[in-house]
Every structure is written in structure tokens, then in C-alpha cells.
Amino acid sequence: DIGQCLLHRYRHILGLWQPDIGPYGGLLNVVVDGLFIIGWMYLPPHDPHVDDPMRFKPLFRIHLMERKCATVECMYGHKGPHNGHIQIVKKDEFSTKCNQTDHHRMSGGRQEEFRTWLREEWGRTLEDIFHEHMQELILMKFIYTSQYDNCLTYRRIYLPPSSPDDLIQPGLFKGTYGSHGLEIVMLSFHGKKAKGTKITGDPNIPAGQQTVEIDLAHPLQLPDIENLRDFSELSRIVLEVQEQVRREEQEREQRQEGEEHSQQAASQPASPLGGGGGGEGAEGEETAAGAEGTTQDKAPASQPFVLPMGVISRNEDYPRTCRICFYGTGLIAGHGFTSPERTPGVFVLFDDDRFGFIWLELKSFSLYSRIKVSFQNAQAPSREAFDEMLKNIQSLAT
Ligand SMILES: [Zn+2]
């Protein structure tokens, strides 16, 4: 049976994939849909509407029931399906090719192609976007991504494995990234750390990089309600924890060195991880205990939340209560991923489907909202396979 043969041949490409498209990345979902296997590219909603559903458009389809084995069509452009090709390069990697790229061209030339792309990607015209730097970024993305003409190489990505102890369900989120618009980030849990990995990226921080890291061992107590708007107060609290984290890392390193040099590490006065040991130890313990209570049993208490004065948010429509905050770091870099640096910040958990990150040095705020799509064939075969995948997409980005 021919359908069977094709399903067999292409069943390896079902699931989630990330295209290799410079810093931009992307999210492709390959599914069986009636008589076709279809590759859907998932796009974030228009900036800054982070709670809106994802958008998707087909990039290719494979006929399952045709006489000619393996008819592949390119769906890129606006002139309907045309001749394409798919090559399975190796396990967890395949590439697509369009054989009729003239089908991508528009009668109005580049100008019309750009305007159409802009309307789809941003839901706006260039005249609507007053910010000059943003116009440059948009133009750059169009020029860069359109040159591929749907000839792309894809690498498999997995959804993060979950465990009952996780703060919230891990998974994919849409997040606001200032002038770069909305990007797709994968939240995963790794013991006392949570990681946000970029599935789509930009010229500053490319896809594959770890945009935020959350230190679950260091919950943060936000300033009192009357000082919530005071940026310097929040800044003071975060930098204090940063200092504490630095000290603990030092102590751990010294302890390790000590253990290497003499088997007897008992001489170290340092308390075990998380114990604090510094002057504000009591305060640290108090917040840690509070966090423990919230992450485990009972429904978490909510506390008022408002962004400090001077912190810029793309979306003023962020939640005004939160459950818990943690110390974290966010990756910033110049164009072309030059001089990357992890800078201190605040991870804010709003509810099961939304979180935020305050970038202290940038004085900006990112709001993340869960992508509520149930992707099939996307589970990692093991935690090791997932970790390996994260490592691979990160190394490819640099
Ligand atoms: Zn094509």
C-alpha cells in the first residue's frame, strides 16, 4: 500500500523542528493531516499581544496517497502549491528545497513582497512603526530570511520533560523582546535551575541561546507595597542576592578545591548551599521557607505586583498580582552576539501560564505567555536526549 510506504518513509519527520536560518530560528510542526503530511511554521501573534494565539502557515506538504511515490510540494509564497523536494539528511535533520522559486515572486516585485511580509509578520505597515531602530531590524530580518526561498535545514527539537515538583508545567512560551517583537522561548527545569531557551532569536541573542536562567534556590521578596514602584529599592534587593549567590559559588569552589587537595573538607566553615552564611542570612532563610510552602502543597498566595517606575514594558497589560519571584540572570549582547553577558534580573511568576522577567540593567520587562498547542510526536525519549538537544541548538547558534 502506497500510503503506508510514504508514511513509513516520512514518519521520521513528524514532530517539532527548528530551521537553521541565521539568528532567527523558528518553530516547525510536522503533522499528518488527512491525506497529507504538512509542515506548519508557527509564528508568534503580532507584537505586543502576547496572550493572542499562535499563527501558522504551511511551508510544505507531502501527498500520502498518490501514485507517484513521495510527491512533495512547496507551499511558500502566495501562488499555491508547486514542486518541491525534501531530503532526510540524517536522523533528526532534514532539508527542504523549492524547485520553482519563481512561484514566490510577486508581480509588484520586492516592494510588494516586503509589504506583504510586513503585514503578515507585524500586522502593520512600515509607516506605522515610528521607531527607527525597529524599522532597521525589521528590514534586516526580511532581507536575511527571504533569501532562503524555503530552502531550509531543520533540526529536531523536543518539548521539555516535566516532573511533579516543577514550579509550573514546562513548555513553550511567547515573550516580548522590545524592538525585536515577540519571540518563542522554551522553559525547562533542571533541579534548582530553570532555563529559558530561545527557539526564535534575533541579531542580538540568536535562537538556541539561553535567554534567562532562574535560580529557584533564591526566591526574592519584593519591596513592600508602598515601595513597589521604587526601582532603586528593587535594584538593591536583587544586587544583594547576586552578591549572596557569588559568595556561595566561591565557597563551593573553595570547598571543591579543598576536597581535591586534602580529602578532609571539614575545615571549611561554610554552611551548605542555600544556608546563606552572610549578614542577611536570617532574611534569606525566611524567604526560602516561604517559597518552599508555596511550591509544595496548598494554593499559592498572590501578592500585588507593579513594575517599578522607569522600567519599560511593550505591554502595559501585564498581570497586577504575582505568586512568587526568584533571582535570575538574563543574557544580553551587542549585534552579532558580541560580548554576551549574563546580567541580574527578577523572574516573576504570575500564574500557571504566565511569567515575566525584569532586566535590571536594561530597565526593561519581558512578559511571557504559554503557547497552548498540544504538539504531537514532540516528547523527548529521555531527559538525557533533551539535555543533549539543548546543548546542540545552543552550540549551533554561536
Ligand atoms: Zn516554493
Side-chain angles (χ1 to χ4, degrees):
D1 165 60
I2 286 168
Q4 207 79 31
C5 124
L6 283 173
L7 194 57
H8 196 263
R9 162 126 62 130
Y10 284 108
R11 91 192 133 88
H12 299 292
I13 71 164
L14 298 178
L16 287 181
W17 301 82
Q18 186 187 44
D20 181 5
I21 185 156
Y24 297 105
L27 181 67
L28 183 88
N29 184 27
V30 184
V31 296
V32 177
D33 190 343
L35 301 177
F36 301 99
I37 287 177
I38 302 184
W40 296 97
M41 184 63 88
Y42 273 72
L43 304 164
H46 292 144
D47 177 63
H49 308 291
V50 82
D51 284 326
D52 284 0
M54 294 288 281
R55 301 171 300 131
F56 40 88
K57 60 177 189 188
L59 287 191
F60 61 80
R61 70 179 186 190
I62 304 162
H63 291 250
L64 288 179
M65 299 299 280
E66 263 191 6
R67 291 196 179 277
K68 298 174 286 173
C69 229
T71 301
V72 175
E73 287 172 310
C74 172
M75 306 281 282
Y76 189 83
H78 295 82
K79 289 186 180 162
H82 48 277
N83 200 289
H85 182 75
I86 285 179
Q87 191 182 6
I88 297 174
V89 183
K90 55 187 175 195
K91 191 181 171 290
D92 300 332
E93 188 176 323
F94 75 92
S95 58
T96 59
K97 194 170 168 293
C98 174
N99 295 330
Q100 293 170 289
T101 53
D102 54 303
H103 277 68
H104 306 168
R105 304 283 83 84
M106 286 179 156
S107 53
R110 286 294 265 178
Q111 189 83 1
E112 191 191 354
E113 286 166 26
F114 175 62
R115 291 197 169 274
T116 307
W117 176 86
L118 191 65
R119 206 166 44 235
E120 286 176 359
E121 186 104 343
W122 291 83
R124 284 191 269 179
T125 64
L126 207 55
E127 293 76 39
D128 290 339
I129 299 157
F130 303 113
H131 200 306
E132 221 172 281
H133 179 55
M134 204 159 164
Q135 290 185 346
E136 280 170 16
L137 287 168
I138 288 169
L139 209 54
M140 202 153 88
K141 184 172 183 181
F142 172 74
I143 292 166
Y144 195 98
T145 57
S146 63
Q147 70 186 352
Y148 283 85
D149 260 334
N150 211 18
C151 293
L152 293 168
T153 298
Y154 293 91
R155 288 187 189 83
R156 186 181 289 284
I157 53 176
Y158 298 120
L159 291 175
S162 65
S163 109
D165 306 330
D166 293 339
L167 186 65
I168 54 171
Q169 179 78 24
L172 294 168
F173 290 79
K174 306 150 270 179
T176 58
Y177 278 85
S179 307
H180 297 300
L182 301 190
E183 298 189 11
I184 302 172
V185 167
M186 181 184 278
L187 179 74
S188 58
F189 292 95
H190 310 258
K192 282 290 176 197
K193 290 241 164 25
K195 294 177 181 177
T197 305
K198 280 198 173 189
I199 300 303
T200 65
D202 55 62
N204 289 88
I205 308 293
Q209 292 299 326
Q210 204 185 305
T211 171
V212 292
E213 184 171 285
I214 304 120
D215 191 340
L216 299 169
H218 291 93
L220 281 182
Q221 188 69 56
L222 289 179
D224 303 333
I225 182 86
E226 61 267 27
N227 292 320
L228 218 47
R229 297 286 279 169
D230 185 353
F231 180 79
S232 58
E233 180 60 13
L234 179 72
S235 186
R236 188 188 61 78
I237 290 170
V238 175
L239 295 179
E240 224 171 70
V241 177
Q242 185 187 35
E243 191 46 44
Q244 189 189 335
V245 169
R246 200 172 284 162
R247 265 203 315 272
E248 285 168 8
E249 264 166 22
Q250 248 169 26
E251 284 168 10
R252 196 172 45 223
E253 271 165 30
Q254 280 166 8
R255 216 167 30 238
Q256 274 167 359
E257 260 170 48
E259 277 163 13
E260 274 162 28
H261 289 145
S262 68
Q263 292 295 69
Q264 180 192 52
S267 59
Q268 276 295 326
S271 51
L273 236 193
E280 50 291 336
E283 203 180 272
E285 268 159 36
E286 196 179 32
T287 50
E292 211 109 31
T294 9
T295 46
Q296 282 165 6
D297 34 56
K298 64 190 181 224
S302 71
Q303 47 181 304
F305 177 81
V306 66
L307 281 175
M309 302 263 266
V311 173
I312 300 157
S313 172
R314 287 294 292 174
N315 196 335
E316 282 306 314
D317 198 18
Y318 62 85
R320 292 307 199 267
T321 58
C322 68
R323 279 187 198 168
I324 188 169
C325 299
F326 292 96
Y327 170 76
T329 56
L331 189 61
I332 62 175
H335 267 215
F337 198 46
T338 49
S339 354
E341 193 189 345
R342 300 216 71 90
T343 61
V346 184
F347 172 86
V348 186
L349 181 67
F350 294 115
D351 51 46
D352 285 335
D353 298 319
R354 282 179 303 177
F355 63 88
F357 192 82
I358 302 174
W359 305 73
L360 219 56
E361 285 187 16
L362 300 177
K363 278 197 164 187
S364 77
F365 175 72
S366 287
L367 178 63
Y368 301 83
S369 177
R370 186 181 297 280
I371 296 177
K372 291 172 181 167
V373 178
S374 54
F375 295 108
Q376 306 296 307
N377 302 296
Q379 294 307 320
S382 66
R383 181 160 270 284
E384 290 70 36
F386 176 77
D387 291 343
E388 186 72 19
M389 181 278 296
L390 273 195
K391 216 169 64 194
N392 286 341
I393 64 171
Q394 187 170 17
S395 66
L396 284 165
T398 48

